[in-house]
Amino acid sequence: GSDRASPKFVPGAGFRSSQDARTAPQKDAEALQALSPRNMEAARRHLEDTEALAYLKARRIPLEMAREYGLGYFPPGRWPGRHEAAKVGRIAFPLEMPGGELVGVYSRAIDPAYPGTKAPKAVRHDVWGRRGLFHGAALAGPSLYLTEGPFDALAMLGSGFPAAALVGTKGLPWERLGNVRELYLCLDLDATGEGQKAAHELARQAVMRGLRCHVMDAGAYGGYPEPSDQWEAEGHVTLS
């Protein structure tokens, strides 16, 4: 029960076409009411399921790291989000307010053949509850490395950077960045240029608020499009 005003997250804002409607948060009041830490606790007990461990290994995420940052696994049929998305097993990430309040859960469908094949786009991403930040604790500052996706944030965290994921490209609770002095925008360097476009818009807002801001460009992530790609290939992320 914090008495601070809650950030105003905009549902659905900032997602790419590949993630758009498929990650629309549940708007049903009962679904929001049903969201509780117990759901993630149950998912964390499944993190050592064979298929979950295999997928984490393919993405170079040690079990200890997954546990440290609160990940879980929903076996097929257990995910409480969209029915279609629940048909496949899903790695889940807690989405929180910077103070630690659980407001939603982002999940990524696993694919046993990853990275050779990836889960179909229709079920690849889903959000249950509201969109918050993954690892909002990083907003404590003084430096913040901001990514689009949770796997990118894990890659940054594993490389020693204080990172959080927007789970998209918008919805940063600026009013909670009181102690952040330097903002590093580590968004995707994809061929469409959408990640860079979003990064420059965030940078404009950051500078207006008096923050020093750094936008990652083509020299970052070892030439890979995303931090998680370099992490999977090399076991670390470089920014220049």
Side-chain angles (χ1 to χ4, degrees):
S2 171
D3 57 3
R4 291 181 295 181
S6 294
K8 291 177 175 57
F9 290 104
V10 182
F15 268 77
R16 309 294 180 71
S17 57
S18 67
Q19 298 175 324
D20 239 334
R22 290 175 281 283
T23 40
Q26 302 286 330
K27 293 180 174 64
D28 183 82
E30 290 181 12
L32 286 172
Q33 197 172 12
L35 183 69
S36 81
R38 287 195 302 275
N39 301 103
M40 279 305 297
E41 286 164 17
R44 286 173 187 135
R45 289 195 290 272
H46 284 282
L47 202 54
E48 289 189 62
D49 286 11
T50 305
E51 56 271 31
L53 288 175
Y55 183 74
L56 290 173
K57 183 178 180 181
R59 302 208 64 155
R60 212 168 185 150
I61 305 298
L63 179 62
E64 302 75 39
M65 181 193 286
R67 283 200 178 118
E68 181 180 354
Y69 293 107
L71 276 62
Y73 174 65
F74 286 89
R78 301 282 186 88
W79 171 243
R82 290 183 303 118
H83 177 71
E84 193 69 21
K87 293 179 180 178
V88 293
R90 312 189 68 85
I91 296 291
F93 296 76
L95 304 181
E96 303 168 333
M97 294 297 192
E101 176 201 355
L102 183 73
V103 296
V105 181
Y106 161 83
S107 72
R108 172 65 158 78
I110 68 168
D111 189 315
Y114 183 92
T117 60
K118 295 182 181 180
K121 286 185 177 181
V123 298
R124 194 176 299 168
H125 310 275
D126 202 24
V127 171
W128 182 50
R130 288 168 59 197
R131 255 193 211 101
L133 296 166
F134 169 63
H135 197 241
L139 270 65
S143 296
L144 171 63
Y145 293 76
L146 201 63
T147 70
E148 289 186 40
F151 278 104
D152 294 321
L154 277 183
M156 300 293 293
L157 289 162
S159 302
F161 300 104
L166 276 172
V167 191
T169 57
K170 295 182 181 176
L172 183 60
W174 295 101
E175 65 273 28
R176 297 290 183 95
L177 268 63
N179 297 319
V180 174
R181 296 291 171 262
E182 295 218 38
L183 180 62
Y184 295 80
L185 295 170
C186 305
L187 276 60
D188 296 356
L189 301 173
D190 44 22
T192 65
E194 289 297 311
Q196 287 297 279
K197 183 179 177 182
H200 283 101
E201 174 55 27
L202 285 167
R204 186 186 66 80
Q205 296 178 44
V207 170
M208 282 171 54
R209 290 168 168 84
L211 296 177
R212 290 186 62 187
C213 193
H214 311 266
V215 178
M216 297 305 110
D217 57 26
Y221 323 144
Y224 292 90
E226 304 175 21
S228 59
D229 293 329
Q230 185 184 13
W231 172 264
E232 288 170 27
E234 302 175 4
H236 63 266
V237 178
T238 54
L239 299 184
S240 59

